[in-house]
Amino acid sequence: MTRFLDPAEAAAELVPAGSCVAVGGMHTTSAPMALVRELVRQEIRIGRLVTSPSTSIQADLLIGAGLVDELVAPYVGFEDLGLAPCFRRAVEQGTVRLLESDEGGLTHALYAGSAGIPFVPLPPGIEHSDIPASCPELYQQVDDPFTKERRWAVRALRPDVALIACAEADGEGNVAFGRPPFTDRVMALAARRLVVQVERLVSSEAIAEREPGTTLPAFLVSAVVVAPGGCLPTAAAGFYPRDEAALRDYLEAARS
Amino acid sequence: MTRFLDPAEAAAELVPAGSCVAVGGMHTTSAPMALVRELVRQEIRIGRLVTSPSTSIQADLLIGAGLVDELVAPYVGFEDLGLAPCFRRAVEQGTVRLLESDEGGLTHALYAGSAGIPFVPLPPGIEHSDIPASCPELYQQVDDPFTKERRWAVRALRPDVALIACAEADGEGNVAFGRPPFTDRVMALAARRLVVQVERLVSSEAIAEREPGTTLPAFLVSAVVVAPGGCLPTAAAGFYPRDEAALRDYLEAARS
Amino acid sequence: MSAWSRTELMAVVMARAFRDREVVVMGAVPALPLAACRLAKALHAPGLSYLVGGSGTVDPKPAALPSQSCDPELTGGPCTLPLHEVVLLEGRGDALDVFCAGGLQIDANGNCNLVCVGDHARPKLRGPGSVGLPFLSAVKRVVIYTMAHNPRTFVERVDFVSGAGDRAELVVTPLATMDFDGSHRMRLASVHPGVTAQEVVEATGFELAMPPSVPETPEPSREELETLRALDPEGLLRR
Amino acid sequence: MSAWSRTELMAVVMARAFRDREVVVMGAVPALPLAACRLAKALHAPGLSYLVGGSGTVDPKPAALPSQSCDPELTGGPCTLPLHEVVLLEGRGDALDVFCAGGLQIDANGNCNLVCVGDHARPKLRGPGSVGLPFLSAVKRVVIYTMAHNPRTFVERVDFVSGAGDRAELVVTPLATMDFDGSHRMRLASVHPGVTAQEVVEATGFELAMPPSVPETPEPSREELETLRALDPEGLLRR
């Protein structure tokens, strides 16, 4: 049964200290900032933070607060607005343990986690990059039993909890994405628990009218957090654009 | 550039004799029957037929016509209407080479094919079934490089061409599913060529208004075949239900 | 209200077995488990969820029981998952609780066979195939149901293991309910009203474990039957 | 019409490199490759498709060039793929033709580095990370572009290979265009109007292969510039 919580309750009750936390949203879009801010406010330590293939303030803020022990994030930055100041400083000073990864590896690792698959071999090409050899915890070589070729493989990721931001939920806890899914669906399916921040509550009929494959059933949703404007300063497609001034202010403030 | 063809042209020009053909639709829903009937009419030999996890007349008709050399299909049947007569006869008499498979193995094999991944280990449980050991061509054991445990794995499937049925296409070749996707998206992505049978043409604006993740871009679509009613006697969600009388007639006629 | 049918009793027995907050998954020809899920949800398990495997639809509330798993009536449900994602969740192991399954053959240990009768290489009867049955080992518990309680279906050992019986807890047929003893051998648990234990033994192709005494399956209560019939206005379970 | 900017020239040069029916994929900060794709599609490559990696949007036609890859203006495009499926297609190897990429460092063999300057374990500068750059080896050809043509960016050997240069065909900067010689070493192909070969050599941190003579990059034609500016009403490429 899906619970309906405010951001503070969701953070306190569903994000145990030291756990593996996945945070969705791509670049400066659809980040569950209402939940992220509560993790910061309550100073909840994160054993391992897993992000989307490209993440920005949703990771940088947690890193800057000193809450992240280990990080799996193929890209942390603010795209046109600049580098991620806290991420950059923490990696340069060695205060966060970064597991080097790539978009394909991360995505397939979450796919594996969602499906009970222990690891996934990667498509050819990855062997020309320095990534897999630099992170044996996530990448190992395996012999293809069909062709006998040696391939790089990525280990499954199963976050203890995933935090994602969607458009709408109904009173039962069924959720409508209402936006490009990026990799947030597989992140949601890979996690042991799922907290979904939404812009608004709607009727069950409104969720049922959405196209198949664009919703999530209540039985997968541990908690819904209704937080209008809760993605700001990142964008929520269909609701508001990113707040560029606020993002620039953050970058300025986080510089030191 | 997507071509716009009639069923006969699509079959003749995009389904080479002896190739690996994937045919979508689940049970007695959303089968691309207009295309399947053309394969039968033109007697196009199929080197390997790959189906959805559950298939019915879209496979049985091709098998009954004696066109299928090798078959990968975890379930061929007519659900409440009965067993698949041609499939059953062909397997019992040894006139089709059936590669035993399961829903999970097939789906992950298509995922692998769509992603350039050579093989995928399967979740625990499959080792209790007789399936993997009975089909070494699709299933082999592999050592998990992270845990050293021995696991069953499935080999990637990359059909030469996939035939699927969707609701709509625009004049560019962008396609809207307009129905539950089942496993037809990953089947479409795994194939080297994709032929999509649709009920009708619509404007590009109508496709653009569909939710993200429910459409396919023209660059993936080799050909669109406009065939109103082309799923019959199977159903097309939103257009017509399955024609039970016609399906029963088929079962009766195919019995011998 | 007319007397209940054997199939209605099966739905009631299955419904009683489902617990609140469980997630139940079913496959082809879902009318019976779907009726059971809706009945359980209406009566004692309001937090139950059910997933129709073929179509991927969650908690559908069709006006009448569907004869097939991809019925367009079903996919209007509150949420339809891509079947691809159902496959992911089936493998994940902690997402789904109960799998409702059956088979051409069901054996003394609860293994199910949808592949063949006779030798696999040259079968006497070829069945449709295993579909998702290997996932039986990935859920918490399995409920087996079949309309065919006879010695051809209930065999000592299946000719092919589509899905293993290790998680099987309950078997429901038109004659009886069965559970499993300490060595995971199928055991008669109750006989339906009007059926004798001897009839069940004769209809079973292997030696059923027997309890000290065999109770009768409790009849559907008035509430159970009324609720069930409201879900089945076309009387699919009475045919 | 005012004189073109260096960035506009870069867009024109990239556009000329795209061929009809190719599928081009781009990543973060897509304004320049997006402008180039739309220009190519308008002029000589009507069958071109382009995919904005971050958002998964195919062939978007925003009213103005976007500053970011997940701009809501983009996701209104005719079709938005889940990023997950973009990842599948990137690995498939035969779905995408051209990858537009860049790096903190770009080396003499076209390898790109978005990870770090200095030792990986204790970097002098940490970059954002490699994202999809390993897929550079899975497309048919790679177009590298950067606004930073200087010896810190163009180095003999990257400190970390995010994506390999083996498929790199063209490098476009505000000073010049470069291709690769028979041993796949970066070679000066043309200098932009107003730039000397010597200036390019001095701005490059490794020894560029040199052709017998260095042509000048052809200026944007009137048609190219008019078309480009209609795509960029806010003049993002003129800033």
Side-chain angles (χ1 to χ4, degrees):
Chain A
M1 306 275 279
T2 306
R3 302 169 69 193
F4 287 78
L5 304 175
D6 68 28
E9 293 165 338
E13 297 176 33
L14 292 169
V15 187
S19 59
C20 176
V21 179
V23 178
M26 191 63 190
H27 284 298
T28 47
T29 299
S30 301
M33 292 308 297
L35 292 166
V36 167
R37 275 187 287 266
E38 270 305 321
L39 299 186
V40 172
R41 204 184 57 79
Q42 297 181 33
E43 296 179 10
I44 297 174
R45 237 193 63 246
I46 297 173
R48 178 184 281 183
L49 181 67
V50 176
T51 72
S52 293
S54 298
T55 193
S56 67
I57 190 169
Q58 61 271 52
D60 201 61
L61 195 64
L62 292 165
I63 296 164
L67 296 173
V68 178
D69 293 344
E70 215 171 76
L71 177 66
V72 180
Y75 175 105
V76 190
F78 286 70
E79 216 174 342
D80 54 315
L81 306 178
L83 294 174
C86 299
F87 165 74
R88 182 184 162 184
R89 191 165 49 234
V91 177
E92 290 174 5
Q93 299 179 356
T95 57
V96 69
R97 194 165 162 266
L98 176 67
L99 301 183
E100 208 64 65
S101 67
D102 77 299
E103 177 176 57
L106 170 69
T107 305
H108 296 310
L110 289 171
Y111 181 84
S114 75
I117 291 170
F119 68 95
V120 178
L122 294 173
I126 189 78
E127 70 279 7
H128 298 308
S129 136
D130 285 337
I131 297 166
S134 69
C135 188
E137 213 161 319
L138 293 183
Y139 300 86
Q140 285 288 338
Q141 288 186 296
V142 65
D143 290 317
D144 182 333
F146 298 96
T147 64
K148 312 303 172 199
E149 281 174 51
R150 201 147 179 76
R151 306 297 288 262
W152 282 103
V154 69
R155 188 173 200 166
L157 285 171
R158 279 222 67 191
D160 294 308
V161 58
L163 315 177
I164 67 169
C166 294
E168 300 165 343
D170 69 12
E172 304 294 314
N174 299 298
V175 165
F177 267 69
R179 62 166 175 91
F182 310 124
T183 53
D184 280 3
R185 283 190 78 88
V186 74
M187 178 185 280
L189 297 177
R192 294 177 206 279
R193 289 187 214 167
L194 173 62
V195 181
V196 183
Q197 173 190 304
V198 298
E199 290 294 324
R200 63 182 174 206
L201 285 181
V202 296
S203 68
S204 292
E205 291 68 37
I207 302 288
E209 279 165 16
R210 294 281 191 169
E211 291 212 57
T214 67
T215 56
L216 286 174
F219 79 80
L220 290 172
V221 181
S222 308
V224 163
V225 173
V226 183
C231 292
L232 287 168
T234 72
F239 292 90
Y240 41 84
R242 65 179 185 177
D243 183 342
E244 278 197 25
L247 285 166
R248 287 186 200 280
D249 287 349
Y250 171 81
L251 290 175
E252 184 60 36
R255 194 171 292 167
S256 57
Chain B
M1 306 276 278
T2 306
R3 303 169 67 192
F4 287 78
L5 303 176
D6 66 29
E9 292 165 338
E13 296 176 34
L14 292 170
V15 187
S19 59
C20 176
V21 179
V23 178
M26 190 67 188
H27 284 299
T28 47
T29 299
S30 302
M33 292 307 298
L35 292 166
V36 167
R37 274 187 287 266
E38 270 304 321
L39 299 186
V40 172
R41 204 185 58 78
Q42 298 180 32
E43 297 179 12
I44 297 174
R45 235 193 65 247
I46 296 174
R48 178 184 282 183
L49 180 66
V50 176
T51 72
S52 293
S54 297
T55 193
S56 66
I57 190 169
Q58 61 272 51
D60 201 62
L61 196 63
L62 292 165
I63 295 164
L67 296 173
V68 179
D69 292 345
E70 215 172 76
L71 177 65
V72 180
Y75 175 105
V76 189
F78 287 69
E79 216 174 343
D80 55 314
L81 305 179
L83 294 173
C86 298
F87 165 73
R88 181 183 162 184
R89 191 166 46 234
V91 178
E92 290 173 4
Q93 300 179 355
T95 58
V96 69
R97 193 164 164 266
L98 175 66
L99 302 183
E100 208 63 65
S101 67
D102 76 300
E103 177 177 56
L106 170 68
T107 306
H108 295 311
L110 289 171
Y111 181 83
S114 76
I117 291 170
F119 68 94
V120 178
L122 293 173
I126 189 77
E127 69 280 7
H128 299 307
S129 136
D130 286 337
I131 296 165
S134 69
C135 187
E137 211 161 321
L138 293 182
Y139 299 87
Q140 285 289 337
Q141 288 188 296
V142 65
D143 290 317
D144 182 332
F146 298 95
T147 64
K148 311 302 172 200
E149 281 174 52
R150 202 148 179 75
R151 306 296 290 260
W152 282 103
V154 68
R155 188 173 199 164
L157 285 171
R158 278 222 69 189
D160 294 308
V161 57
L163 315 177
I164 67 169
C166 294
E168 300 165 344
D170 69 12
E172 305 295 315
N174 299 298
V175 165
F177 267 68
R179 61 165 176 94
F182 310 124
T183 53
D184 280 3
R185 283 189 77 87
V186 73
M187 178 185 280
L189 296 177
R192 294 178 206 279
R193 289 186 214 169
L194 173 61
V195 181
V196 183
Q197 172 190 305
V198 298
E199 290 294 324
R200 63 181 175 207
L201 285 182
V202 296
S203 68
S204 292
E205 291 68 35
I207 302 288
E209 278 166 18
R210 295 280 190 170
E211 291 210 59
T214 67
T215 56
L216 286 174
F219 79 81
L220 289 172
V221 181
S222 307
V224 163
V225 172
V226 183
C231 292
L232 286 168
T234 72
F239 292 90
Y240 42 83
R242 66 179 186 177
D243 182 342
E244 279 196 25
L247 286 166
R248 287 186 200 278
D249 287 349
Y250 171 81
L251 290 175
E252 184 61 38
R255 194 172 291 168
S256 56
Chain C
M1 187 165 290
S2 66
W4 42 265
S5 73
R6 290 270 172 94
T7 316
E8 287 177 324
L9 178 62
M10 290 174 69
V12 168
V13 168
M14 289 173 73
R16 291 171 185 157
F18 299 146
R19 300 168 197 149
D20 197 18
R21 303 195 183 195
E22 283 188 323
V23 182
V24 181
V25 63
M26 61 199 74
V29 203
L32 183 55
L34 180 61
C37 286
R38 294 196 66 186
L39 183 57
K41 198 169 166 79
L43 296 185
H44 67 274
L48 187 89
S49 279
Y50 48 96
L51 209 168
V52 182
S55 60
T57 294
V58 181
D59 295 351
K61 297 171 189 68
L65 290 178
S67 52
Q68 40 148 339
S69 60
C70 297
D71 195 306
E73 278 289 300
L74 287 179
T75 52
C79 171
T80 294
L81 284 168
L83 177 59
H84 192 158
E85 294 182 352
V86 175
V87 169
L88 302 184
L89 295 173
E90 285 178 325
R92 210 181 83 175
D94 61 351
L96 310 179
D97 299 294
V98 185
F99 202 126
C100 298
L104 288 175
Q105 292 181 329
I106 298 159
D107 75 17
N109 302 115
N111 297 303
C112 294
N113 169 16
L114 274 170
V115 163
C116 60
V117 175
D119 180 49
H120 180 247
R122 198 76 183 191
K124 273 183 282 191
L125 168 67
R126 171 68 204 195
S130 301
V131 230
L133 288 193
F135 289 123
L136 294 189
S137 300
V139 294
K140 293 194 186 66
R141 50 203 206 96
V142 172
V143 172
I144 295 172
Y145 67 103
T146 178
M147 303 311 294
H149 198 148
N150 60 53
R152 273 170 297 120
T153 301
F154 284 88
V155 296
E156 176 64 34
R157 173 73 192 172
V158 290
D159 291 330
F160 188 98
V161 179
S162 290
D166 52 316
R167 309 284 168 96
E169 279 193 12
L170 178 68
V171 183
V172 184
T173 78
L175 301 182
T177 72
M178 286 151 291
D179 58 11
F180 293 85
D181 69 12
S183 58
H184 203 68
R185 188 171 177 91
M186 203 182 292
R187 174 174 63 187
L188 186 55
S190 73
V191 291
H192 297 340
V195 180
T196 66
Q198 187 54 31
E199 284 175 278
V200 177
V201 165
E202 284 169 11
T204 305
F206 57 86
E207 198 175 335
L208 270 176
M210 296 297 281
S213 73
V214 181
E216 191 174 84
T217 313
E219 287 193 53
S221 71
R222 185 182 178 85
E223 187 188 22
E224 285 171 333
L225 201 56
E226 278 178 8
T227 307
L228 183 60
R229 290 198 173 166
L231 301 172
D232 180 24
E234 296 179 358
L236 200 66
L237 303 182
R238 270 169 287 163
R239 277 176 209 161
Chain D
M1 185 165 292
S2 66
W4 42 267
S5 73
R6 290 268 173 96
T7 316
E8 286 178 324
L9 178 61
M10 288 174 70
V12 168
V13 168
M14 288 172 74
R16 290 171 185 158
F18 299 146
R19 300 167 196 149
D20 196 19
R21 303 194 182 194
E22 283 188 324
V23 182
V24 181
V25 63
M26 62 198 74
V29 203
L32 183 55
L34 180 61
C37 286
R38 294 196 66 187
L39 182 58
K41 199 170 165 78
L43 296 185
H44 67 273
L48 187 88
S49 279
Y50 47 97
L51 211 169
V52 181
S55 60
T57 294
V58 182
D59 295 350
K61 297 172 189 68
L65 290 179
S67 51
Q68 40 149 338
S69 60
C70 297
D71 195 306
E73 278 289 300
L74 287 180
T75 52
C79 171
T80 295
L81 285 169
L83 177 60
H84 192 157
E85 294 183 350
V86 175
V87 170
L88 301 184
L89 296 173
E90 285 177 326
R92 209 181 85 176
D94 60 351
L96 309 179
D97 299 294
V98 185
F99 202 127
C100 298
L104 289 174
Q105 292 181 330
I106 298 159
D107 76 16
N109 302 115
N111 297 303
C112 293
N113 169 15
L114 274 170
V115 162
C116 59
V117 175
D119 180 48
H120 181 246
R122 198 77 183 189
K124 273 183 281 191
L125 168 68
R126 171 69 204 196
S130 300
V131 231
L133 287 194
F135 288 124
L136 294 189
S137 300
V139 295
K140 294 196 186 67
R141 52 203 204 94
V142 173
V143 172
I144 296 172
Y145 67 103
T146 179
M147 303 311 295
H149 198 149
N150 61 52
R152 273 169 298 120
T153 302
F154 284 88
V155 295
E156 176 64 34
R157 173 73 193 172
V158 289
D159 292 330
F160 189 98
V161 179
S162 289
D166 52 316
R167 308 285 168 95
E169 280 194 13
L170 176 68
V171 183
V172 183
T173 78
L175 301 182
T177 73
M178 286 151 293
D179 57 11
F180 292 85
D181 70 12
S183 58
H184 203 68
R185 189 171 177 90
M186 203 183 292
R187 173 173 63 187
L188 185 57
S190 73
V191 290
H192 297 341
V195 181
T196 66
Q198 187 54 31
E199 284 175 276
V200 177
V201 165
E202 283 169 13
T204 306
F206 57 85
E207 198 175 333
L208 270 175
M210 297 296 282
S213 72
V214 181
E216 189 174 82
T217 312
E219 288 193 54
S221 71
R222 185 182 178 85
E223 186 188 24
E224 284 171 331
L225 202 56
E226 279 178 4
T227 308
L228 182 61
R229 291 199 172 166
L231 302 172
D232 181 25
E234 295 179 0
L236 201 67
L237 303 183
R238 270 169 286 163
R239 277 174 209 163

